[in-house]
Amino acid sequence: MQTELKINGDKHVLDLDSRTTLLDVLRHHIGLTGTKKGCDHGQCGACTVIVNGRRINSCLTLACMHDGDEITTIEGLGTPDDLNPLQAAFVAHDGFQCGYCTPGQICSATAMLKEAKAGWPSHVTEDMASTPDLTDAEISERMSGNLCRCSAYPNIVDAIREVARGGKE
Amino acid sequence: MRPFDYQRARTLSDVASAAQQGAAIIAGGTNLLDLMKLEVMTPERLVDITRLDLKAIEETDDGGLRVGALVTNSDLAADMRVRTRWPVLAKALLSGASGQLRNKATTGGNLLQRTRCYYFYDTAMPCNKREPGSGCAAIGGFNRIHAILGASEKCIATHPSDMAVAMLALGAKVEITDRAGNDRTVSLDKFHLLPGDTPEKETVLEPGDLITGVVLPAPVQGRQIYRKVRDRASYAFALVSIAAVVDVKDEKIARADLAFGGLAHKPWRDAALETALVGKPVSEAAFDAAADILLKDAKPQGSNDFKIPLARRVLISVLKEATR
C-alpha cells in the first residue's frame, strides 16, 4: 500500500502493509521514536500526535488512511536546543517523572490550547454556549486522554496553565 | 491483527461494491481497530469511507439539523447550533471518550460502536455476541458494567454510547443508504436491537447498508440535561447516564423526554415512564413513581446490583434539577 505522509514538514513515500498503524510508521519506518507506544489501544494517550491540526491517538489509526496528511510529532514542535514554550514549561514545572507520557502530553496540550482558543467547550463547561476560561478544571478535563502513571498531573497543569496565559507565572 | 485488503472509497457506489464482497466499513476506526488488534473482529476487507462527502452539518427546512455520518464527535460538540439549541447533545458528546478519540470518532461510527463487555473483548472466553452459540461468561461472571433492563439469557451487554442516548431523547432519525442505492430513514428508537436470541445482531442495518447521516428534529421547549455517572470523573464509560428534555408549565410537568445509557443493550427509552410524568405536579412522589416504572422489570446480575438504586437516584436527581 503506497502512502505519502508529510511528517514535521518532510515528505515521506512509504510502501506499507495495510495493518501498519500511524504510530508504528513514525517509530519503526521513519525512526521518530519521540512518539511513544503505551497501551496501543487508545486508552493512555502516549502516542498522541497532531494530524492536520487535530490531536489523535496514532496507535488507533492506519497509516494508509492518512495518505496526503500533515503530521506533527514531538520532534516537530521543538528540539533540545530550541524548546517550544510548552516543552520549556514542562521542564520548568517538572511536569513529568519518568517522561514516557510527556511527548503525548505536549502534543495533546498543543492541540488542546488551539481547541480552547477556538472556543470549544468541554464536559466541565457550565454553559455549553459559552466560551469558557481555561481554568485548572478545564485543563484537567481536556487533558484526560493523557494518563501519567507517575501522577505528575499538578505540575502538568501548572505547565499548561503558564503557556495558556502567555508566559511565566 | 489479521491481514486484510484495504480500499479507499471515493463514491457511495464504491462502498456498495466493496460491501458486495463482504468488506467492513471503516471511518474513525477508534473501536474497529481496537477490536481488530485483539482479533475480536477479523474482517478480510476494509473499505475506508473517510474521503466521502458526509461531513456537513446542515439546518433542515423545519428547524432541525442534519448531521453527516462522518462529522466527528468533536466537530458536532463544537457546533454553535448544537451548543445553543441541542445542548444535551453537546454535553453528552463531551462526556464520552477523550479529546483525541472525539477528533476521530464519527457520528455514524458512534452509533455502531460495540459493547465494552470484558468477555466480548476476551477471545478466550465464551460470548454469544462474538461467537453465537458459545455461551455468555458475563452471566454469573463479573458483570459490574452490564445491563439491568432488556437483557436476555444469551447476552447482558450494554451499549456504551453517550451521543446516542442524547440523540434518542431528542427523537433523532438515522438516514441509511443500502447497497442498491436506495435511501431509508429509521427512527433511532428502532435502530438498535435488544439482544434476544441473536445478540450478534445489534442494529437494523443489513450487509451493505451505510449510515449517511442523523437528523435531529427542531428542538422542543424544555430544559436539557445530560447526567453521566461513572467510576472516575472523566474518560470512562457510563454506569448510568440520563439525557433529559423536561418542560414545566403551571407547576406541572408538560414534557419529559428521557433516555438512559448504561442500563441496556441499547440506549433505553420507556414511553410508560414519560406518560406517567406528563401532567403530574412537580413532586418527589411523581419522580419516585417514575423510577418505579423504569425499574419495574429490572434484573440485576450480581456485580451490577448497585445500578438499580443508582438509576433511581440519578433519575430523581435529574428530574429535580430539570424542574427546579
Side-chain angles (χ1 to χ4, degrees):
Chain A
M1 192 77 219
Q2 185 150 312
T3 303
E4 185 182 314
L5 302 173
K6 198 169 182 190
I7 303 169
N8 300 330
D10 297 330
K11 190 172 119 178
H12 297 266
V13 179
L14 303 142
D15 192 23
L16 301 167
D17 184 312
S18 55
R19 292 172 287 182
T20 317
T21 62
L22 180 57
L23 172 60
D24 286 344
V25 163
L26 294 171
R27 292 182 56 83
H28 300 312
H29 296 253
I30 313 288
L32 291 171
T33 53
T35 308
K36 297 293 186 269
K37 183 180 284 193
C39 68
D40 209 24
H41 285 277
Q43 297 172 3
C44 75
C47 69
T48 303
V49 298
I50 303 167
V51 176
N52 300 335
R54 297 273 176 103
R55 53 178 169 158
I56 67 165
N57 301 107
S58 62
C59 75
L60 270 193
T61 195
L62 298 170
C64 58
M65 294 178 74
H66 290 282
D67 190 45
D69 285 356
E70 293 203 15
I71 294 135
T72 303
T73 68
I74 189 71
E75 292 91 343
L77 292 178
T79 64
D81 299 326
D82 185 18
L83 299 176
N84 89 347
L86 264 170
Q87 290 171 319
F90 268 68
V91 172
H93 290 276
D94 209 11
F96 42 76
Q97 191 180 121
C98 79
Y100 196 81
C101 72
T102 312
Q105 298 277 1
I106 291 177
C107 284
S108 186
T110 301
M112 181 278 281
L113 291 173
K114 267 181 59 189
E115 295 166 4
K117 215 168 219 169
W120 290 16
S122 85
H123 177 64
V124 299
T125 306
E126 267 309 307
D127 174 5
M128 282 292 110
S130 69
T131 301
D133 292 332
L134 213 48
T135 59
D136 287 3
E138 285 280 356
I139 292 172
S140 296
E141 165 60 28
R142 289 163 193 260
M143 292 297 293
S144 72
N146 291 84
L147 306 190
C148 171
R149 279 321 186 202
C150 309
S151 214
Y153 297 114
N155 297 0
I156 291 170
V157 172
D158 287 348
I160 295 172
R161 186 199 311 110
E162 176 185 299
V163 175
R165 293 184 186 167
K168 286 201 161 47
E169 292 180 352
Chain B
M1 207 186 302
R2 302 264 182 90
F4 55 85
D5 289 330
Y6 168 85
Q7 180 197 344
R8 186 176 300 135
R10 296 282 171 194
T11 62
L12 287 179
S13 64
D14 289 348
V15 183
S17 58
Q20 302 277 11
Q21 295 161 57
I25 292 168
I26 186 163
T30 56
N31 191 204
L32 178 58
L33 288 172
D34 184 26
L35 292 165
M36 285 171 66
K37 286 183 179 191
L38 297 167
E39 299 189 358
V40 174
M41 292 179 75
T42 52
E44 287 173 4
R45 299 178 64 94
L46 282 187
V47 57
D48 171 5
I49 62 166
T50 53
R51 313 274 167 133
L52 296 183
D53 184 18
L54 298 170
K55 293 176 184 135
I57 307 176
E58 306 158 312
E59 284 160 70
T60 60
D61 293 340
D62 56 359
L65 203 66
R66 184 181 180 282
V67 182
L70 293 175
V71 172
T72 64
N73 288 178
S74 293
D75 283 326
L76 189 55
D79 187 281
M80 197 45 97
R81 292 162 293 188
V82 174
R83 288 161 63 185
T84 52
R85 299 171 66 207
W86 296 274
V88 64
L89 176 57
K91 188 84 170 175
L93 283 160
L94 292 169
S95 77
S98 66
Q100 291 95 314
L101 290 167
R102 291 192 295 270
N103 277 338
K104 288 295 279 178
T106 64
T107 304
N110 189 311
L111 293 177
L112 296 179
Q113 63 180 307
R114 312 294 306 273
T115 183
R116 263 59 177 191
C117 172
Y118 335 115
Y119 301 101
F120 173 70
Y121 263 78
D122 183 350
T123 53
M125 301 301 286
C127 170
N128 288 321
K129 186 183 281 299
R130 176 170 30 77
E131 204 183 323
S134 62
C136 172
I139 296 173
F142 291 98
N143 45 42
R144 175 176 168 75
I145 65 170
H146 290 74
I148 56 169
L149 297 172
S152 73
E153 305 279 294
K154 295 278 169 40
C155 180
I156 59 169
T158 46
H159 194 272
S161 177
D162 293 293
M163 181 197 82
V165 176
M167 285 181 169
L168 180 63
L170 293 170
K173 291 185 165 64
V174 185
E175 293 185 337
I176 300 160
T177 295
D178 72 15
R179 62 182 169 192
N182 301 311
D183 298 329
R184 70 182 193 279
T185 299
V186 177
S187 162
L188 186 55
D189 63 352
K190 304 264 191 322
F191 180 78
H192 293 102
L193 304 174
L194 287 175
D197 289 332
T198 53
E200 72 279 12
K201 182 136 177 69
E202 294 168 353
T203 71
V204 297
L205 292 184
E206 297 294 338
D209 281 349
L210 176 71
I211 297 175
T212 52
V214 173
V215 178
L216 302 176
V220 294
Q221 179 90 26
R223 189 149 179 201
Q224 298 186 18
I225 294 173
Y226 190 74
R227 182 82 64 85
K228 177 173 179 177
V229 179
R230 45 186 160 173
D231 280 328
R232 58 185 182 196
S234 185
Y235 200 12
F237 292 101
L239 293 166
V240 176
S241 72
I242 301 182
V245 183
V246 177
D247 193 28
V248 176
K249 279 198 185 79
D250 305 326
E251 312 281 308
K252 284 185 180 157
I253 298 167
R255 171 183 286 276
D257 297 345
L258 297 160
F260 300 83
L263 300 183
H265 196 256
K266 59 178 199 172
W268 189 261
R269 199 164 169 177
D270 184 337
L273 145 74
E274 297 179 20
T275 308
L277 279 167
V278 171
K280 293 274 175 5
V282 171
S283 69
E284 189 118 3
F287 302 161
D288 247 333
D292 288 342
I293 294 171
L294 172 71
L295 297 163
K296 153 172 70 71
D297 298 320
K299 186 166 178 263
Q301 299 288 342
S303 349
N304 70 354
D305 296 2
F306 71 95
K307 281 192 179 181
I308 292 180
L310 184 63
R312 168 178 294 277
R313 289 183 194 133
V314 178
L315 174 59
I316 291 172
S317 168
V318 164
L319 288 171
K320 277 185 183 166
E321 184 186 336
T323 55
R324 209 163 38 215

